[in-house]
Amino acid sequence: VKAILKIALGIIAALGGFLDIGDLVFNTQAGALFRYDLLWAVVLGTIGIAVYAEMSGRVAAVTRRPVFDVIRMRLGFGLGLVALVASTIVNLLTIAAELGGLAIILQLLFDAEFSLFVVLAAIGLVVVVALLPFGGIERVFGYCGLIVIVFVATAIHQQPDWNDVARGFVPSLSTSWLYLYFVVGVFAAALMPYEVHFYSSGAVEERWDESSLKENRLNAAVGYALGGLLACALVVVSGYLFHPLGVRPDDLGTVALPAQGAFGETGLLLALGGMMFCVGGAAIDSSFSASYNLAQFLGWEWGRYRGPKKAPRFTFSWLVFLFLAMLIVLTGVNPVEITEYSVVFAVVALPMTYLPVLMIAGDRSFMGEHANGLISRTLGWIYFALIVVLAIAAVPLLLATNGGGG
Amino acid sequence: MNREGPVSIAHRLLDEQILDCDGKRCGRVDDIELTGSPPRVTALLVGEGLYPRRLPARLRGLARRLTGPERWGANALRIPWEEIDEIDVAIRLRGKAEELGLGEGDDPERWMVRRLPWN
């Protein structure tokens, strides 16, 4: 029973950490612009992250190797360095986006100067990480982030035409550049690679072994399925409320409004509070992901459990990434814009980090009996093909739509 | 895997993580020294001074400006093959990292971390 409880708690924590600023921005805009039409792309992206996370978790459990360890092993130094630099740039943009998002939410909750909240948010994260044990951080942000389930309640409360909603799950393509841009955006927002890099590094830190594979499968199957439900709810509530009005939500306050429509002031506060924990947790995950990647690639000592004394380079680089991200936000660029760039460039860099994991997960000399079977192998390569297509299409679509501006 | 006998250099040695006898991560195999005919692995080479060799010729000059030239014993270390204990999920050394000059970048004495308030 204790083991089941532990797994359940793990899933809840993972679920609370599923939504980040990328999902909040892209899914809400997708709903406003195309009503329920892009729900299928959310599902596609959610399955994608489940596939990638399951493989990375399995590789971490069996070979004790996190993602960037595998990248250095399979791509070598030169190509691996390209993957590292690309991922680091994307991570910096992501940390900046989450930090900026956190500051906006704090500003909405406690009305004051934006740049003050940017600095306070960064300092707050450092204090939280320095003082709380890591299991505690995951639980606090995971459980509290779960408050965003208010969006699911909102969707049910709105009583949309469920037949229309269901039709959104049927894939459809259109020749509109903007529509295609949002297919890429919604897919990529669900499949942010930092989440997987963080997950697999965490698995190594928690000393996962073969006995953890069940937990890994459950996280991927149940955790991400429920996470996908939250992501779909964002599309539905926004499609229901904003699409008929022709409103284009381009700030985070608007993202929370549907909850106010359904449950009044309480709904708004719950939505903003849940978003604050989701985005705050994502800021921690993405910043750690940046340091994990760097330390693993260069062979430094790393780990949240080792602490600054045993892993000083890792800790120092984490502070530097957080500081640089803070500077990016303080330049005054709209965090929603930073979010769009971080999500689009994430999918561009994704094939380079996904492929080595796919290779090792299928390699019997490393994985033995836990190597990819027929299903994981087929699904793995189908997603690789899909990711490559989207990676190639991403930047042209970004330019053709003027950054999603239409 | 035993360190005697054949070993797949590309598959299991190059770019692999190195751990010392305490399990401390202390670098990756950046290059390999082969000697004799048929060639035998006589040492693993580790250090940022070796990074430029791993890049395409055109980028080496630029990379060398960042890492400095190879200085043996400083930014390029030679780990004799005899120092390797076992190769399993990583390369495990017989001794401590410090004895071979590895992992010095993670030496807390070099950093101010001891003076951080939470230590």
Side-chain angles (χ1 to χ4, degrees):
Chain A
V1 178
K2 217 174 172 186
I4 297 173
L5 188 70
K6 196 184 141 217
I7 288 174
L9 293 177
I11 289 173
I12 294 172
L15 176 58
F18 184 86
L19 285 193
D20 69 358
I21 191 160
D23 303 286
L24 293 168
V25 166
F26 266 99
N27 293 12
T28 304
Q29 295 208 4
L33 287 167
F34 304 104
R35 214 160 66 124
Y36 315 132
D37 288 357
L38 281 159
L39 282 170
W40 64 274
V42 179
V43 175
L44 205 63
T46 306
I47 299 173
I49 195 163
V51 168
Y52 188 21
E54 191 280 330
M55 277 198 302
S56 308
R58 182 154 41 92
V59 168
V62 176
T63 73
R64 319 288 195 273
R65 289 171 203 276
V67 171
F68 260 82
D69 193 315
V70 168
I71 287 172
R72 173 88 193 251
M73 286 290 287
R74 273 296 153 270
L75 297 187
F77 187 85
L79 264 183
L81 189 64
V82 176
L84 177 70
V85 171
S87 297
T88 304
I89 293 171
V90 170
N91 269 329
L92 256 181
L93 289 175
T94 309
I95 308 164
E98 312 284 354
L99 201 59
L102 189 55
I104 291 178
I105 297 168
L106 288 172
Q107 195 187 16
L108 290 168
L109 286 169
F110 315 98
D111 189 42
E113 186 68 25
F114 173 70
S115 44
L116 174 72
F117 274 122
V118 174
V119 178
L120 281 183
I123 294 174
L125 290 177
V126 174
V127 170
V128 165
V129 167
L131 293 184
L132 283 182
F134 271 93
I137 294 175
E138 257 158 54
R139 263 169 256 142
V140 168
F141 285 92
Y143 299 163
C144 297
L146 209 59
I147 305 172
V148 289
I149 219 153
V150 70
F151 285 111
V152 178
T154 304
I156 295 167
H157 187 266
Q158 285 172 338
Q159 294 179 311
D161 183 339
W162 292 105
N163 286 323
D164 282 356
V165 174
R167 263 194 290 278
F169 289 100
V170 181
S172 60
L173 286 177
S174 116
T175 49
S176 143
W177 291 120
L178 195 61
Y179 181 83
L180 292 175
Y181 172 74
F182 270 90
V183 170
V184 175
V186 163
F187 177 92
L191 219 179
M192 285 298 274
Y194 80 84
E195 294 172 22
V196 175
H197 302 166
F198 181 81
Y199 177 70
S200 81
S201 303
V204 173
E205 290 217 48
E206 310 269 353
R207 300 183 174 280
W208 275 20
D209 55 24
E210 277 87 345
S211 69
S212 318
L213 289 174
K214 188 180 277 177
E215 185 179 345
N216 181 47
R217 264 196 303 273
L218 271 171
N219 280 345
V222 184
Y224 287 114
L226 293 172
L229 179 74
L230 289 177
C232 286
L234 287 174
V235 176
V236 173
V237 297
S238 159
Y240 179 86
L241 187 67
F242 299 133
H243 183 72
L245 299 174
V247 171
R248 173 87 186 260
D250 50 9
D251 65 82
L252 279 175
T254 321
V255 172
L257 280 184
Q260 187 182 30
F263 306 112
E265 190 83 350
T266 320
L268 181 69
L269 284 177
L270 284 177
L272 284 175
M275 282 161 62
M276 180 180 80
F277 283 103
C278 282
V279 173
I284 293 181
D285 293 4
S286 54
S287 55
F288 268 101
S289 182
S291 312
Y292 278 136
N293 295 351
L294 185 66
Q296 287 159 11
F297 184 83
L298 295 175
W300 296 350
E301 188 55 284
W302 56 268
R304 302 170 293 169
Y305 292 126
R306 311 229 170 186
K309 243 186 279 184
K310 284 196 165 166
R313 281 186 289 200
F314 172 78
T315 310
F316 181 69
S317 66
W318 179 75
L319 288 167
V320 170
F321 284 128
L322 206 57
F323 184 71
L324 291 177
M326 190 181 82
L327 292 185
I328 294 175
V329 189
L330 287 177
T331 59
V333 192
N334 182 354
V336 172
E337 250 171 72
I338 306 178
T339 305
E340 292 193 25
Y341 285 105
S342 75
V343 169
V344 170
F345 287 120
V347 75
V348 176
L350 186 54
M352 278 184 288
T353 59
Y354 180 93
L355 182 64
V357 174
L358 184 59
M359 286 162 77
I360 290 271
D363 186 335
R364 287 193 167 269
S365 71
F366 283 101
M367 297 292 291
E369 53 170 324
H370 301 296
N372 277 349
L374 187 63
I375 299 173
S376 339
R377 193 162 46 221
T378 315
L379 215 52
W381 283 104
I382 288 175
Y383 264 94
F384 181 64
L386 192 62
I387 289 166
V388 169
V389 171
L390 294 185
I392 294 168
V395 170
L397 285 172
L398 182 75
L399 296 174
T401 58
N402 193 13
Chain B
M1 206 187 306
N2 197 285
R3 68 185 179 88
E4 307 296 330
V7 54
S8 165
I9 287 173
H11 203 58
R12 294 312 291 262
L13 276 189
L14 192 59
D15 291 316
E16 183 58 288
Q17 176 77 52
I18 302 174
L19 305 177
D20 77 353
C21 59
D22 299 327
K24 178 180 166 187
R25 297 185 182 97
C26 52
R28 282 182 172 271
V29 179
D30 295 309
D31 206 347
I32 292 167
E33 181 190 278
L34 300 172
T35 318
S37 162
R40 291 179 66 89
V41 179
T42 46
L44 304 179
L45 309 177
V46 186
E48 67 271 15
L50 301 162
Y51 293 164
R53 336 175 154 187
R54 300 293 308 275
L55 294 170
R58 262 179 225 188
L59 298 172
R60 265 175 224 156
L62 176 72
R64 215 160 268 140
R65 235 177 270 172
L66 293 170
T67 63
E70 282 173 24
R71 289 188 311 270
W72 290 96
N75 67 3
L77 299 164
R78 190 177 171 279
I79 313 301
W81 191 239
E82 295 75 42
E83 295 291 339
I84 283 115
D85 183 27
E86 215 192 347
I87 302 168
D88 49 19
V89 292
I91 293 171
R92 295 180 192 275
L93 301 174
R94 288 180 190 279
K96 281 182 177 290
E98 299 85 65
E99 293 162 10
L100 295 160
L102 288 168
E104 281 188 342
D106 281 325
D107 179 2
E109 299 293 342
R110 282 195 171 192
W111 296 81
M112 304 269 279
V113 286
R114 293 219 160 161
R115 289 175 211 166
L116 292 179
W118 55 84
N119 276 333

